């Protein structure tokens, strides 16, 4: 594909995004995303975690890994959650059309993650009985988390910091990686209504409010229900931000090879609901709330 033929828009600093089939992506992501679309045929036993960036992907990776591999504590201590469940477009299909991991026959559920919108994966997901867990989060907290995350990339060049007003404007216009956020969420909401037995749609806030209940629900959904309540409590504790962020592997300043701009420790910040109130102006809050009402309320989906 000729990237120069795609519409492009400035994102932050000198970075720009390209527009492909209604969504914005970093130009380096286009090829791998195309590979996923063209070559990934999920096994019915596959489990795919789908998220918009900064909605709690790291947390859900640790939870899903632990739910499917009970007694996972030693693995969580040894590996960052992003190394336990690879992203399809960033890791699995980063370099090749048919990675080895996909060629191996397997009876075990394979766990993958992706940020690719449903609108681009419609065929892949509708033709398979794989399980999808879609996680979303309040748009204002997602935006603030994204803004903090991107500003950490500026360490070498602090004067290039990205203003929150600019980040808000991009977010509202949908010009963020994998954006528009609203279309991303609505796409998977639609899929979850179409295939409720295959797609579980959850929010960051619901899980924060009742982690024990949601770990059990996820276990039931994935076909591995819990017998013992203690086991559930153990997983909730081991995957809490307090425990995870205190592990050496997650405190590391090193960056993954597949995401060199972001050290492993940058995936953990506060992990709180409503942190946007400490950052966004009343005007920005109103702008986002109006958009949210417009896009989400008709579905009975509130934020
Ligand atoms: P904040 O920036 O609001 O703190 P992602 O994993 O999709 O990149 O999302 C990152 C967000 O999830 C960050 O939010 C981060 O702090 C939060 N997070 C990471 N691990 C978490 C955990 N175990 N529990 C709750 N939130 C977590």
């Amino acid at each position: 594909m000729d990237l120069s033929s795609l519409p492009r828009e400035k994102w932050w600093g000198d970075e720009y995004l390209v527009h492909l089939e209604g969504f914005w992506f970093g130009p380096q992501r286009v090829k791998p995303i195309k590979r996923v679309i063209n070559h990934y045929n999920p096994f019915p036993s596959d489990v795919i975690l789908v998220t918009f960036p900064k909605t709690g992907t790291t947390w859900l990776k640790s939870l899903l890994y632990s739910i499917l591999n009970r007694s996972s504590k030693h693995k969580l201590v040894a590996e960052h959650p992003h190394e336990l469940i690879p992203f399809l477009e960033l890791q699995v299909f980063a370099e090749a059309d048919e990675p080895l991991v996909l060629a191996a026959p397997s009876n075990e559920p394979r766990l993958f993650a992706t940020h690719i919108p449903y609108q681009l994966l419609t065929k892949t997901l509708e033709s398979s009985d794989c399980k999808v867990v879609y996680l979303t989060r309040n748009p204002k907290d997602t935006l603030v988390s994204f803004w903090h995350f991107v500003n950490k990339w500026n360490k070498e060049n602090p004067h290039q910091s990205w203003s929150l007003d600019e980040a808000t404007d991009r977010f509202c216009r949908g010009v963020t990686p994998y954006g528009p956020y609203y279309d991303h969420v609505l796409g998977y909401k639609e899929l979850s209504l179409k295939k409720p037995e295959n797609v579980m749609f959850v929010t960051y806030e619901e899980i924060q409010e009742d982690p024990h209940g949601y770990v059990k629900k996820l276990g039931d959904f994935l076909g591995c229900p819990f017998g013992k309540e203690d086991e559930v409590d153990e997983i909730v504790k081991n995957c809490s931000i307090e425990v995870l962020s205190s592990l050496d592997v997650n405190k590391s300043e090193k960056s993954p090879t597949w995401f060199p701009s972001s050290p492993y420790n940058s995936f953990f910040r506060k992990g709180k609901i409503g942190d946007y109130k400490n950052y966004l102006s009343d005007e920005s809050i109103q702008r986002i709330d109006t958009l949210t009402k417009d896009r989400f309320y008709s579905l009975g989906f509130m934020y």
Side-chain angles (χ1 to χ4, degrees):
M1 148 154 307
D2 178 13
L3 282 181
S4 64
S5 67
L6 296 175
R8 61 175 60 196
E9 197 163 319
K10 181 175 164 336
W11 177 40
W12 74 274
D14 300 329
E15 302 278 325
Y16 67 91
L17 300 176
V18 295
H19 204 225
L20 177 75
E21 298 181 36
F23 288 86
W24 293 97
F25 303 101
Q28 73 283 22
R29 301 281 174 250
V30 171
K31 260 194 195 166
I33 286 173
K34 286 269 174 193
R35 283 191 201 115
V36 177
I37 295 170
N38 294 329
H39 300 285
Y40 174 48
N41 297 308
F43 294 163
S45 54
D46 283 0
V47 175
I48 312 171
L49 168 66
V50 190
T51 60
F52 187 81
K54 311 324 289 175
T55 56
T57 321
T58 317
W59 185 25
L60 255 282
K61 281 191 176 184
S62 67
L63 286 173
L64 290 182
Y65 186 88
S66 303
I67 292 168
L68 284 166
N69 303 276
R70 307 279 158 94
S71 332
S72 62
K73 195 173 169 193
H74 63 287
K75 290 292 275 185
L76 289 174
V77 169
E79 304 250 31
H80 191 280
H82 284 301
E83 302 299 348
L84 292 174
I85 303 186
F87 281 109
L88 287 167
E89 70 276 25
L90 300 177
Q91 289 151 281
V92 183
F93 284 92
E95 308 290 343
D97 288 348
E98 292 186 51
L100 288 177
V101 62
L102 292 183
S106 162
N107 297 320
E108 290 289 301
R110 300 177 307 177
L111 265 163
F112 298 116
T114 186
H115 293 314
I116 303 178
Y118 165 63
Q119 289 83 339
L120 278 76
L121 281 182
T122 311
K123 264 200 210 145
T124 310
L125 296 178
E126 289 197 351
S127 62
S128 168
D129 272 336
C130 65
K131 297 265 195 225
V132 172
V133 175
Y134 184 77
L135 173 73
T136 188
R137 186 182 190 186
N138 179 305
K140 291 167 285 190
D141 281 337
T142 303
L143 159 66
V144 166
S145 183
F146 217 130
W147 172 70
H148 278 287
F149 186 68
V150 169
N151 271 325
K152 287 205 184 116
W153 298 345
N154 282 323
K155 247 193 283 170
E156 316 275 305
N157 202 355
H159 54 272
Q160 223 196 21
S161 79
W162 196 35
S163 82
L164 186 53
D165 280 347
E166 202 179 324
T168 304
D169 184 59
R170 296 280 186 281
F171 184 86
C172 289
R173 290 194 295 111
V175 189
T176 56
Y178 301 91
Y181 159 91
Y182 294 95
D183 294 316
H184 201 284
V185 178
L186 288 170
Y188 283 99
K189 183 78 191 171
E190 187 189 317
L191 180 66
S192 74
L193 297 173
K194 241 189 242 173
K195 295 182 79 176
E197 65 293 352
N198 294 90
V199 183
M200 183 165 165
F201 184 99
V202 279
T203 71
Y204 183 90
E205 293 77 17
E206 286 168 336
I207 305 178
Q208 281 249 5
E209 275 154 26
D210 181 15
H212 186 99
Y214 272 89
V215 166
K216 282 174 74 174
K217 278 186 195 167
L218 284 162
D220 290 342
F221 172 71
L222 297 174
C224 49
F226 285 89
K228 298 191 205 132
E229 298 292 321
D230 292 4
E231 249 184 332
V232 180
D233 289 334
E234 187 70 10
I235 289 179
V236 170
K237 189 177 91 206
N238 291 340
C239 298
S240 67
I241 191 161
E242 292 77 20
V243 169
L244 284 183
S245 63
S246 68
L247 299 173
D248 285 346
V249 70
N250 298 329
K251 285 199 283 191
S252 170
E253 283 285 342
K254 276 204 220 140
S255 300
T257 48
W258 47 270
F259 204 13
S261 55
S262 298
Y264 283 114
N265 63 12
S266 66
F267 294 93
F268 302 93
R269 198 179 61 92
K270 286 190 192 167
K272 295 270 179 265
I273 297 175
D275 190 39
Y276 73 86
K277 292 179 194 143
N278 297 316
Y279 297 94
L280 292 177
S281 65
D282 289 348
E283 196 186 321
S284 295
I285 291 177
Q286 206 177 352
R287 182 172 176 195
I288 300 171
D289 284 349
T290 304
L291 201 53
T292 307
K293 200 168 163 192
D294 195 36
R295 299 301 311 278
F296 283 171
Y297 281 20
S298 62
L299 275 173
F301 180 48
M302 317 273 282
Y303 257 130

